[in-house]
């Protein structure tokens, strides 16, 4: 592919390398380091003049450092006369701060919009991301945003790894994910259920109500992200006490912070399946239940199609071979 340069930020080198290998490209030379006062310094090690630049940086790990690094990399490429800069952000940072929630939160910031503004001001011409926590975040940008879906890869994983998938039930751990589970349930031609949860504080769940019949079925919890895992572990208990035979969890972004890993280890999951939008090697050492679906080929195909001016919508329903 002519006129294309692929750079990796420091948040997820492994994913960037997989994408580059898939496209048959070398990752561009870039040196990111920190000055002693912790300021981020970026040196782009090759010419990007007139090139179509893609920078892969996920919103994980040291989120603020990685976001700042991405902004600086975008800006560095922009002022070095690249023709177009696309930020490939598999897990979008601050995506949960997308609205003012409660009456009492009238002073809550809408930080996802601030991040969108920062990316635009830095010089991004296009954003590629995956399973945005709230799809309206696409409307926070005045530049094109391609929100890819892990769903085709999730469907493939279910069919290949859960033998009794025809007798499963897809469950959303909260009302917000209803659309996601109905879509997957339709594609598998199975039923779905919903858990209504009430939260008093962030990262803490008060009580849960199960809507739907899971008795004698394999329950598959599906959500876009799991952070401290309180919700999905509560949900797993709820499903088992309601008669589910086995419980799986499938999540696009496995953030797994704080007590998450010990909670998963103590919960009765057959497996907790996540994609590699966030690196999982360290987490897998401490938790044998975590399994990973590789989504690098979806990102690579999105980059290839964008670069060649082709439609990306094929990827909403197919996993590239």
């Amino acid at each position: 592919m002519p006129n294309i340069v692929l750079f990796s930020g420091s948040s997820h080198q492994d994913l960037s390398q997989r994408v580059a290998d898939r496209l048959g490209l070398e990752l561009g030379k870039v040196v990111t380091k920190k000055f002693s006062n912790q300021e981020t310094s970026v040196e782009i090690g090759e010419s990007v003049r007139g090139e179509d630049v893609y920078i892969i940086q996920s919103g994980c790990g040291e989120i603020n450092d990685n976001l700042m690094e991405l902004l600086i990399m975008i800006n560095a490429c922009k002022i070095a006369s690249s023709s177009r800069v696309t930020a490939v952000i598999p897990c979008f940072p601050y995506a949960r701060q997308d609205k003012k929630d409660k009456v009492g939160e009238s002073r809550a910031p809408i930080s996802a919009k601030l991040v969108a503004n920062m990316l635009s001001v830095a010089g991004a011409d296009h954003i590629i991301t995956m399973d945005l926590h709230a799809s309206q975040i696409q409307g926070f940008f005045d530049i094109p945003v391609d929100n890819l879906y892990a769903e085709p890869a999730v469907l493939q994983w279910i069919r290949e790894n859960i033998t009794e998938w025809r007798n499963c039930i897809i469950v959303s751990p909260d009302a917000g994910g209803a659309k996601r589970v109905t879509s997957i349930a339709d594609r598998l031609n199975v039923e779905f259920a919903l858990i209504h949860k009430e939260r008093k504080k962030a990262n803490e769940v008060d009580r849960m109500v199960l809507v739907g019949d899971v008795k004698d079925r394999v329950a598959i919890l599906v959500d876009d992200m799991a952070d401290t895992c309180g919700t999905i572990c509560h949900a797993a208990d709820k499903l088992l006490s309601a008669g589910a035979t086995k419980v799986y969890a499938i999540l696009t972004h496995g953030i797994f912070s704080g007590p998450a890993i010990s909670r998963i280890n103590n919960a009765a999951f057959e497996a907790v399946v996540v994609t590699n939008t966030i690196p999982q090697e360290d987490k897998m050492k401490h938790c044998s239940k975590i399994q990973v679906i590789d989504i690098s080929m979806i990102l690579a195909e999105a980059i290839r199609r964008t670069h060649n001016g082709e439609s990306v919508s094929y990827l909403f329903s197919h996993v590239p071979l």
Side-chain angles (χ1 to χ4, degrees):
M1 298 200 299
N3 299 101
I4 182 171
V5 183
L6 206 58
F7 290 116
S8 172
S10 53
S11 69
H12 199 343
Q13 299 271 355
D14 173 61
L15 180 64
S16 306
Q17 191 58 58
R18 284 168 185 262
V19 170
D21 292 347
R22 173 87 190 193
L23 291 169
L25 298 170
E26 293 281 321
L27 283 171
K29 289 185 201 62
V30 58
V31 180
T32 55
K33 56 178 192 280
K34 285 225 176 94
F35 293 123
S36 78
N37 68 347
Q38 298 304 302
E39 281 181 11
T40 301
S41 144
V42 171
E43 284 172 35
I44 303 291
E46 51 199 86
S47 170
V48 293
R49 184 177 296 274
E51 303 280 16
D52 190 8
V53 174
Y54 294 82
I55 301 170
I56 303 172
Q57 179 83 307
S58 204
C60 56
E62 297 287 339
I63 293 201
N64 298 334
D65 284 358
N66 290 336
L67 175 57
M68 196 67 205
E69 182 181 285
L70 173 61
L71 296 170
I72 294 172
M73 286 176 80
I74 291 168
N75 199 243
C77 293
K78 205 65 192 170
I79 59 180
S81 306
S82 59
S83 73
R84 176 172 69 166
V85 178
T86 299
V88 182
I89 313 173
C91 181
F92 194 85
Y94 289 90
R96 283 176 285 184
Q97 300 183 34
D98 61 323
K99 59 184 179 293
K100 291 190 176 187
D101 236 352
K102 309 253 179 344
V103 183
E105 286 183 16
S106 57
R107 289 175 295 280
I110 303 177
S111 309
K113 169 68 174 145
L114 175 63
V115 171
N117 290 347
M118 286 158 70
L119 287 162
S120 297
V121 168
D125 300 293
H126 180 200
I127 304 290
I128 296 175
T129 185
M130 184 169 255
D131 275 1
L132 274 173
H133 185 63
S135 52
Q136 71 264 20
I137 293 173
Q138 292 170 90
F140 294 174
F141 288 91
D142 293 324
I143 54 176
V145 177
D146 283 314
N147 181 26
L148 304 171
Y149 298 101
E151 183 181 291
V154 167
L155 290 165
Q156 186 180 333
W157 190 92
I158 291 173
R159 291 192 181 109
E160 288 174 4
N161 294 278
I162 301 179
T163 44
E164 54 275 74
W165 67 267
R166 286 182 179 80
N167 185 39
C168 74
I169 184 160
I170 311 293
V171 187
S172 173
D174 57 21
K179 217 164 164 184
R180 190 177 289 106
V181 297
T182 47
S183 171
I184 290 177
D186 285 350
R187 301 273 294 276
L188 290 173
N189 199 19
V190 298
E191 288 184 25
F192 72 93
L194 200 92
I195 291 174
H196 171 66
K197 66 177 180 189
E198 293 175 1
R199 279 184 197 268
K200 291 278 191 291
K201 297 208 281 280
N203 290 358
E204 279 183 33
V205 179
D206 264 13
R207 73 191 190 97
M208 296 190 141
V209 183
L210 173 64
V211 184
D213 180 20
V214 299
K215 192 164 170 51
D216 300 329
R217 290 197 183 152
V218 172
I220 304 174
L221 280 162
V222 176
D223 208 353
D224 67 317
M225 61 167 61
D227 188 354
T228 57
C229 293
T231 300
I232 60 163
C233 291
H234 264 155
D237 293 343
K238 191 88 190 163
L239 293 167
L240 287 168
S241 62
T245 53
K246 288 180 185 167
V247 182
Y248 290 84
I250 305 186
L251 318 149
T252 307
H253 309 297
I255 302 170
F256 300 148
S257 68
I261 296 298
S262 66
R263 281 176 175 170
I264 293 173
N265 281 328
N266 294 327
F269 291 110
E270 296 295 311
V272 174
V273 184
V274 291
T275 72
N276 59 343
T277 55
I278 294 174
Q280 299 295 346
E281 289 76 23
D282 291 347
K283 309 278 177 12
M284 290 169 79
K285 286 176 193 155
H286 301 111
C287 181
S288 58
K289 292 178 191 173
I290 295 176
Q291 296 185 30
V292 175
I293 300 174
D294 181 21
I295 45 86
S296 60
M297 67 284 181
I298 298 176
L299 294 172
E301 185 63 9
I303 290 171
R304 189 191 68 75
R305 285 170 178 257
T306 302
H307 179 65
N308 293 336
E310 298 171 27
S311 163
V312 175
S313 53
Y314 171 83
L315 297 173
F316 298 162
S317 51
H318 298 82
V319 178
L321 298 166

